[in-house]
Amino acid sequence: DAGVTQSPTHLIKTRGQQVTLRCSPKSGHDTVSWYQQALGQGPQFIFQYYEEEERQRGNFPDRFSGHQFPNYSSELNVNALLLGDSALYLCASSLPGSTPPYEQYFGPGTRLTVT
Amino acid sequence: RKEVEQDPGPFNVPEGATVAFNCTYSNSASQSFFWYRQDCRKEPKLLMSVYSSGNEDGRFTAQLNRASQYISLLIRDSKLSDSATYLCVVATNAGKSTFGDGTTLTVKP
């Protein structure tokens, strides 16, 4: 049973560029959430996708956008990259979206460095 | 003030010790509660969900106090392998999860 997978594992971009990160959820999971984790901090919620729609959003600017595909995989897009966007980006999937308690399973993350 | 607050530590304890971590949250709409552990440069992994009646999983015990908006994690008989950062997480029924910044535990021989 494959867990959550993310690609790429590492990425180096230049300020002002755009980046797309990808995530495949754990088998049987239909809800995908994205988080940004800066060094020394807990993961910060970016947004959550369920049934191909953004269901919840954290306090992130519109430069951060996403998409969920019919197979439940998801992409995170970040435009006009800033140095402060350098972080570990985590994808988490969870059990059927209508049912708490939302136990989430994380992928290994994509480490983004903006220079 | 952060929505979820944890004592960052670090907690340095000898093997076999009992250690407790606390977490407070401010959103009274929170409905689900969890503890995750995160090893250095790795992804968070679910340690346990926290139920209103309290729950135990081996050496780990979690407690929830909704009135005080407080969650705790107790680790008994600490092992070297328990060294990690422990993250407190609260979630609303709408699906938004908020993480604390974590408490770092180092268990020493």
Side-chain angles (χ1 to χ4, degrees):
Chain A
D1 178 21
V4 181
T5 60
Q6 291 186 244
S7 63
T9 54
H10 294 84
L11 204 51
I12 300 175
K13 289 285 190 179
T14 302
R15 193 170 42 185
Q17 286 188 315
Q18 178 264 342
V19 67
T20 297
L21 310 181
R22 295 176 176 83
C23 170
S24 290
K26 184 176 168 66
S27 178
H29 288 187
D30 62 1
T31 301
V32 173
S33 301
W34 286 93
Y35 294 84
Q36 179 195 68
Q37 187 174 26
L39 205 59
Q41 295 182 18
Q44 299 295 308
F45 177 76
I46 302 175
F47 41 53
Q48 182 182 82
Y49 277 86
Y50 170 63
E51 292 188 339
E52 301 180 51
E53 291 193 1
E54 185 183 287
R55 180 164 69 171
Q56 283 282 307
R57 189 178 181 93
N59 296 325
F60 279 80
D62 292 344
R63 298 187 297 110
F64 290 76
S65 63
H67 189 77
Q68 185 178 35
F69 299 94
N71 67 353
Y72 308 124
S73 67
S74 177
E75 288 182 350
L76 164 65
N77 300 292
V78 187
N79 294 323
L81 284 166
L82 303 173
L83 296 179
D85 295 332
S86 295
L88 178 67
Y89 287 84
L90 294 160
C91 169
S93 71
S94 52
L95 290 167
S98 60
T99 307
Y102 302 112
E103 294 177 346
Q104 297 181 85
Y105 296 83
F106 284 83
T110 294
R111 193 164 297 280
L112 172 66
T113 303
V114 182
T115 61
Chain B
R1 186 184 169 209
K2 293 196 170 189
E3 281 190 51
V4 178
E5 299 218 45
Q6 296 183 248
D7 180 347
F11 285 64
N12 298 307
V13 303
E15 271 187 292
T18 295
V19 62
F21 304 138
N22 301 321
C23 170
T24 58
Y25 62 95
S26 59
N27 186 353
S28 57
S30 300
Q31 292 295 322
S32 302
F33 308 90
F34 310 93
W35 285 100
Y36 282 74
R37 76 169 271 167
Q38 186 172 26
D39 294 291
C40 189
R41 301 183 74 82
K42 298 283 191 180
E43 74 273 21
K45 293 192 174 175
L46 179 66
L47 181 65
M48 57 198 303
S49 302
V50 186
Y51 303 116
S52 295
S53 55
N55 48 301
E56 187 174 309
D57 182 3
R59 298 181 293 109
F60 299 84
T61 300
Q63 297 278 350
L64 167 64
N65 184 323
R66 285 184 186 270
S68 301
Q69 297 185 188
Y70 167 96
I71 306 159
S72 65
L73 177 68
L74 182 77
I75 305 175
R76 291 182 300 277
D77 189 23
S78 299
K79 312 290 185 192
L80 296 177
S81 58
D82 293 334
S83 298
T85 296
Y86 290 82
L87 298 162
C88 171
V89 185
V90 303
T92 65
N93 271 357
K96 182 185 172 189
S97 293
T98 304
F99 281 71
D101 285 336
T103 298
T104 300
L105 171 66
T106 301
V107 181
K108 301 190 172 184

